[in-house]
Structure formats: structure tokens, C-alpha cells
Amino acid sequence: MKKNKDIQIRIEETKRVLKGVEYEVAELYIGKKKMGEILEYGPKDFQAFIDNDSIGGNKTFDLALESIIRHWNLHE
């Protein structure tokens, strides 16, 4: 029986300007490979992106993070 390996995800905080407005962006990495990004549009509006494609909005950062991990596991 295989044992599950713990995988560490690194989060790097940056800022990005879109249409003249500065947003906080969390970039998610496994090793050196970028998994996706989470843009914080507002207090309860977190947009998740994989390869510049939106995969949906979420009410919390944790839900957006979970959404990216779920999509990553399905497609990698």
C-alpha cells in the first residue's frame, strides 16, 4: 500500500495593477512550478486563476486556495 506524501505549497505575496487599481496577489508554487494565483478584489471576493484563466470566485482565501489545489490535482 502506498503512503501519502506531504506536498508543500509555497505562497508568495505580490501586488499587481489592473486597470489602474492595485490588487494583492498570492502566487502558489509547488517547488519551482507555479500552480496558480489568487487575486483579492475585496473583503469577500477572491478570484482564483490557473494559467491566466479564471476558475471562479470565492468568499474566502482558503476556499480559493482549495479550488486551485483541486483543479491542479485533476489536470496534473
Side-chain angles (χ1 to χ4, degrees), residues 13-27:
E13 297 285 331
T14 62
K15 294 192 185 285
R16 186 165 298 153
V17 177
L18 299 171
K19 298 181 183 177
V21 180
E22 186 175 71
Y23 296 101
E24 290 205 13
V25 178
E27 296 177 336

Side-chain angles (χ1 to χ4, degrees), residues 29-76:
Y29 292 91
I30 290 181
K32 292 183 179 181
K33 191 163 186 175
K34 187 175 179 179
M35 292 174 60
E37 299 176 326
I38 300 172
L39 263 70
E40 182 178 349
Y41 283 112
K44 290 189 178 184
D45 188 8
F46 296 87
Q47 295 290 323
F49 293 88
I50 293 180
D51 295 329
N52 295 325
D53 295 326
S54 177
I55 58 171
N58 298 275
K59 290 186 178 185
T60 67
F61 181 86
D62 290 341
L63 289 173
L65 177 63
E66 189 176 314
S67 176
I68 289 175
I69 293 169
R70 198 176 304 124
H71 277 75
W72 179 263
N73 285 334
L74 287 174
H75 298 289
E76 286 297 316

